[in-house]
Amino acid sequence: MTHPDLFADEPSPAQRAAELRAQLHHHAHLYYTLDAPEIPDAEYDRLFRELQAIEAAHPELLTPDSPTQRVGGAVLKSLPSVRHAVPMLSIRTETDTEATGAAAFDGRIRRELGLAEGDGPVEYVAELKFDGLAMSLRYERGVLVQAATRGDGESGEDVTHNIRTIGQIPLRIDGAAATAGDPVPAVLEVRGEVYMRRDDFEALNERQRQKIAAGAKGEKTFVNPRNAAAGAVRQLDSGIAAQRPLSFFAYGLGEVVGDQRAPDTQFGWLMRLKAWGFPVAEQTAVCRGADELVAFHQRIGAQRDQLPYDIDGVVYKVNSLALQQQLGFVTREPRWAVAHKYPAQEQLTTVLAIDVQVGRTGKLTPVAKLAPVFVGGVTVTNATLHNEDEARRKDVRVGDTVIVRRAGDVIPEVVSVLLDKREGEPPVFTMPHECPVCGSAAVREEGEVDYRCTGGLFCAAQRKQAILHYAQRRAVDIEGLGDKLVEQLVDAGVVNTLPDLYKLGFTALASLERMADKSAQNVLDALAKSKTTTLPRFLFGLGIRHVGEATAKDLARHFGSLDRLLDASVDELLQVNDVGPVVAQSIRTFFDQPHNREVVEQLRAAGVSWPEGEPAERAPQPLLGKTFVLTGTFPTLKRDEAKAMLEAAGAKVAGSVSKKTDYVVAGEEAGSKLDKAQELGVAVIDEAQMLALLGTGTGGESDLT
Ligand code: IVH
């Protein structure tokens, strides 16, 4: 007889089911209770589906405590528990392709409702499926009295103290004002999703990184916006939640008592919630029949990357509440709703190598080369590790299994390493102290996060990037001059500087590898065409640090001609719209370098030209001679922005208040400067009044005396 251990690498269904249950319990605890998942959702779903499949094939293996038998997470111990008056359900997920998924849902609904073919389409509401956490907001006589998480669907946690910090959630509903004649019901539970916008998430993580860099203990960065939001909502201390920017979308209702004129459709309710001041996603649409659902799924799929927040799919709901009631529920899922997902934005893959790339400005970036993985709708093979500190913090090593995230048009990122999957002790990644391309010293200046190659245009990598930057469509647009060609031209030593491009002849091009005569001629034609350009394109193409397209346009408009710009002082540059001290200095430094001047002259000599004009009218300087002091946090402007605007209008911005100060602009949490101003009798104004003085506010004249 064979000993069963010999088959240890082929577990029996019972063993595998037990293994999966243990893993799923572990990961569910990390996810729901600790808000600190170690694996992507897609991986959790795979394990979950594997267990479901085993249990379906072997019903005798099903245990009552199997994770497949539960709806949500466990309830966190430390927050008070709340029993939901109406359970918070989950939605069935349609995994089919978009056309068959919507058709299958529509088909089921029609069957359940006993509709025949000639009966006309069913009306649905199509909504976004927000990737945050479900919340139930209870209003009694219009006042927010309780906010609860979903928990296991029957009871959740009381998080009222944290939810009150979310500005988008009304603390009181003023029904009379918003919807005349529709009084707010005595009891109203609004259900929706608390989430974090992607930009807020990036800013939060940036702040966290700074805290960590400054040596703060117990701080961490967040894996994704949903976990950052969940962590904030479940804080015991509302002071912490208040510092984490959260947002909300309403999508449904719980208990409603005492409403005589309740809407009879989902859409009607959403519109009423909107009128009461709850955020409702503008994409929400009424769709008739399966075809319109498919079109919605496609339309939103195309917009997904541009949305300011993560969604993981769309939700279709039967619009009529009467029909919803007729359709009812199966276990914990309504028959009248279905979720239709998009490709996951986080996946697992392995690190094949860690390369260091050299950018146009010499910046060295560590990049993880990955086993190809389909994430966020594209196949990803590279993910940036940003810089030395980030690479060290994440401790990514060759051979590691990592979570890769790609959300929106944000570049793919390694979120974290699955340490239990690491084999052996692969070496820790270190940044090279020489440029991997040209061998020049790579240095990290004090206070900077990046290493830079000091080779300048001696470095082939920087030369190549500079040429590609100049040739790109948004700059002078040399069609056909792509990576491969530039690579060959620079490596062969044929092109070293931008003006060399215009010295290229047919023979030089045609003799390159894989270059047909016709393509060589096309490149020459494109080069000739690029000589007729515009000043903003040319300026942008030069690749001056901090001068993007918008700044290039502002510079061109302001100065009208290149020569006027070449000779502009830092002070004159500061007069340009949106140009601050860093940008002004960068432009000046660029044009002070003789070799950059030479490049500009040679390009002009080669025939690159653009129409020039007169300088723009000098901006009026209504605040010339006035001195301002800024203090506190302003509602819309950053301190630097306010300063730049005042300076552009001719004002001086000082750091401390004295008798010479004309105005103190005070924002939220203004400190001792405000006291000093009051003591000295200096005029104190707010941001709006400052904008009025600048002539950019809503009101014309200010009423300051
Ligand atoms: S309706 C009766 N609508 O998806 C159906 N849920 O499993 C109750 N979600 O965690 C939910 N966007 O928070 C509904 N437009 C939307 C949604 C949505 C996101 C979340 C919900 C829950 C999960 C449902």
Side-chain angles (χ1 to χ4, degrees), residues 323-403:
L323 292 183
Q324 284 188 6
Q325 196 149 28
Q326 193 181 326
L327 287 158
F329 306 89
V330 228
T331 55
R332 301 292 191 80
E333 295 167 351
R335 284 204 188 82
W336 45 264
V338 76
H340 201 164
K341 296 239 191 168
Y342 292 118
Q345 291 176 317
E346 288 178 6
Q347 290 289 359
L348 287 186
T349 187
T350 49
V351 177
L352 304 176
I354 301 176
D355 281 2
V356 174
Q357 291 180 354
V358 186
R360 180 167 57 80
T361 57
K363 179 177 149 182
L364 265 49
T365 307
V367 176
K369 299 275 155 185
L370 306 169
V373 59
F374 189 69
V375 49
V378 299
T379 299
V380 169
T381 53
N382 288 322
T384 178
L385 296 171
H386 299 291
N387 55 49
E388 181 178 40
D389 294 350
E390 277 290 289
R392 193 167 291 169
R393 195 175 61 73
K394 289 179 181 158
D395 190 21
V396 180
R397 305 191 195 178
V398 175
D400 277 349
T401 302
V402 293
I403 300 179

Side-chain angles (χ1 to χ4, degrees), residues 421-591:
K421 297 220 173 177
R422 178 175 287 169
E423 284 173 18
E425 269 296 315
V428 175
F429 169 77
T430 50
M431 280 299 269
H433 293 251
E434 282 106 46
C435 170
V437 174
C438 73
S440 302
V443 294
R444 179 176 173 177
E445 304 279 347
E446 176 113 16
E448 293 267 316
V449 293
D450 296 315
Y451 274 82
R452 278 178 203 282
C453 162
T454 53
L457 289 180
F458 167 74
C459 176
Q462 294 186 54
R463 276 203 305 270
K464 287 175 192 169
Q465 295 300 323
I467 293 165
L468 283 169
H469 180 81
Y470 177 79
Q472 69 178 298
R473 183 167 310 164
R474 295 184 293 143
V476 304
D477 190 13
I478 309 175
E479 221 184 305
L481 193 73
D483 300 14
K484 294 271 152 25
L485 184 51
V486 169
E487 181 110 33
Q488 290 187 70
L489 290 169
V490 172
D491 290 346
V494 189
V495 172
N496 287 310
T497 65
L498 295 179
D500 289 347
L501 285 171
Y502 296 105
K503 295 180 197 144
L504 282 172
F506 182 81
T507 347
L509 276 168
S511 62
L512 293 172
E513 230 176 279
R514 279 178 314 217
M515 175 67 82
D517 286 2
K518 176 135 179 13
S519 323
Q521 191 53 51
N522 286 345
V523 173
L524 287 178
D525 292 347
L527 276 162
K529 200 171 138 205
S530 75
K531 289 183 186 176
T532 308
T533 184
T534 66
L535 184 51
R537 283 169 171 273
F538 180 76
L539 285 176
F540 172 59
L542 290 178
I544 306 166
R545 214 167 153 203
H546 303 303
V547 177
E549 264 181 299
T551 306
K553 279 189 189 140
D554 285 337
L555 289 168
R557 195 177 312 123
H558 187 95
F559 291 103
S561 83
L562 181 63
D563 289 319
R564 270 191 293 267
L565 169 62
L566 289 179
D567 295 333
S569 67
V570 167
D571 280 343
E572 285 169 306
L573 287 164
L574 282 170
Q575 307 291 318
V576 180
N577 189 23
D578 280 343
V579 171
V582 174
V583 184
Q585 191 53 57
S586 164
I587 297 169
R588 202 50 265 149
T589 309
F590 184 90
F591 288 125

Side-chain angles (χ1 to χ4, degrees), residues 248-261:
F248 180 77
F249 273 125
Y251 57 63
L253 297 163
E255 190 178 29
V256 182
V257 178
D259 192 347
Q260 264 74 49
R261 302 161 53 137

Side-chain angles (χ1 to χ4, degrees), residues 299-311:
R299 190 165 73 241
I300 299 299
Q303 286 174 20
R304 183 189 188 195
D305 275 359
Q306 276 84 50
L307 292 175
Y309 43 82
D310 285 356
I311 58 169

Side-chain angles (χ1 to χ4, degrees), residues 89-91 127-130 134 150 193 251 315 317 334 336:
L89 304 168
S90 58
I91 322 179
E127 301 173 10
L128 305 184
K129 188 169 188 308
F130 311 105
R150 171 153 160 245
E193 197 90 347
Y251 57 63
V315 180
K317 298 174 184 172
W336 45 264

Side-chain angles (χ1 to χ4, degrees), residues 627-639:
T627 301
F628 284 71
V629 171
L630 306 177
T631 177
T633 315
F634 303 130
T636 67
L637 293 173
K638 295 210 184 76
R639 190 82 77 87

